[in-house]
């Protein structure tokens, strides 16, 4: 939970049909389904019958680590989570009563529709059942999956928990009419600004690496061929602009890898991550070289000024005894070499001061790590 100082006792009330679905009581479900086929009103009531819960929408901002059932899941959502066979029967009944569109658009408290909720499963069985439709309906069904976001701004890819589910969601068709909504899902960001890769990196590094693997492609030549080419798409490393977040964020993914655990080291060695870091390093090479050159020139000017002054004043005794009286005769004021070093040192001091001020301003304007600028 986000707030440990507050607590709430959760109350969950299941109806008999909910328990029959969870515990897969075939006899009870057969009787319920029979009545659903005969009575459309009863059918609708069963479809959208929610679990009783004392959680309210405002509580979801405070309590995050809670079971799905607390979010007032209806009967069809329980079928997705616990009983694929019951889901298959319910979808057939929904088609019979022409309620399928309403069923597919139903939401639970967090804002997930049925397709989105099915991405939380480890198995593909339920999402494949929900996606099975005619070619005419397929585009609408896929857009329903790709375009919806939860209350926290999470896309279907954010909530996916297995490599198989990520593969299913990332699969594009030839001349895909849903390509735009698919791309928006891939580059989506939640309300905190985290993109899909950032989300995976924080919860499952293996899933993050698999997601990155899908962004490596070749031109299908053999790796030993001189025509072989490898394409590394580094776009998942960058939190792209969205309708709600107008700035890109190139640091959030790398920032969450700063603690060098074994898993994070593995991520840093991934070709896509490594290539992105090297690209950013190379883009700053000229800037870093200029800073080093400025510091070297500053060191030379200060050293030159000091050595010239010591030579002109004939400083040989470090104890300070037998030194010339500068109030009466100051050879520095009439020495061109001293003034050359003095002016050069002054200019370099001003330049270095401006550099430090600019760096200070940029650090103050930088957003916290992991958030958009």
């Amino acid at each position: 939970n986000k707030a440990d100082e507050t607590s709430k006792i959760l109350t969950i009330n299941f109806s008999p049909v909910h328990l029959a679905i969870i515990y897969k009581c075939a006899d009870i479900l057969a009787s319920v389904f029979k009545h659903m086929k005969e009575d459309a009103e009863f059918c609708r009531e069963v479809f959208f019958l929610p679990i009783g819960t004392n959680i309210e929408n405002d509580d979801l901002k405070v309590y995050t680590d809670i079971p799905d059932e607390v979010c007032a899941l209806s009967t069809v959502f329980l079928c997705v989570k616990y009983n694929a066979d019951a889901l298959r029967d319910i979808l057939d009944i929904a088609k019979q009563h022409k309620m399928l569109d309403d069923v597919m658009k139903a939401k639970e408290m967090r804002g997930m529709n049925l397709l989105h909720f099915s991405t939380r499963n480890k198995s593909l069985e339920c999402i494949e059942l929900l996606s099975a439709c005619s070619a005419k309906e397929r585009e609408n069904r896929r857009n329903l999956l790709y375009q919806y976001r939860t209350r926290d701004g999470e896309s279907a890819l954010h909530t996916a928990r297995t490599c198989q589910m990520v593969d299913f969601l990332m699969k594009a068709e030839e001349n895909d009419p849903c390509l735009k909504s698919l791309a928006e899902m891939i580059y989506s960001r939640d309300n905190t600004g985290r993109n899909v890769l950032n989300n995976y990196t924080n919860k499952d590094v293996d899933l993050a690496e698999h997601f990155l693997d899908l962004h490596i492609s070749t031109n299908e030549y053999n790796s030993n061929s001189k025509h072989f080419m490898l394409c590394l798409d580094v776009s998942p490393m960058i939190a792209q602009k969205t309708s709600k977040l107008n700035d890109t964020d190139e640091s959030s993914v790398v920032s969450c890898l700063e603690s060098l655990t074994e898993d994070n080291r593995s991520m840093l060695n991934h070709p896509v991550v490594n290539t992105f870091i090297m690209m950013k390093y190379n883009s700053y090479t000229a800037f870093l070289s200029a800073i080093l050159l400025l510091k070297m020139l500053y060191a030379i000017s200060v050293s030159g000024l000091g050595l010239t002054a010591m030579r002109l004043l004939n400083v040989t005794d470090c104890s300070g005894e037998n030194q010339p009286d500068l109030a009466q005769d100051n050879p520095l004021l009439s020495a061109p070499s001293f003034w050359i070093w003095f002016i050069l040192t002054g200019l370099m001091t001003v330049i270095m001061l401006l550099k430090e001020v600019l760096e200070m301003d940029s650090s103050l304007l930088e957003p916290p790590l992991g958030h958009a600028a």
Side-chain angles (χ1 to χ4, degrees), residues 26-39:
D27 295 338
I28 297 176
L29 289 176
S31 177
V32 173
F33 292 158
K34 179 182 177 182
H35 288 293
M36 290 173 68
K37 291 177 182 177
E38 296 170 352
D39 188 339

Side-chain angles (χ1 to χ4, degrees), residues 126-145:
C126 288
I127 196 170
E128 287 175 343
L129 280 173
L130 294 168
S131 301
C133 56
S134 65
K136 184 178 179 181
E137 297 175 339
R138 184 165 176 76
E139 182 179 347
N140 291 334
R141 197 74 60 86
R142 293 178 67 212
N143 279 325
L144 193 64
L145 174 62

Side-chain angles (χ1 to χ4, degrees), residues 133 308 323:
C133 56
T308 301
Q323 297 303 319

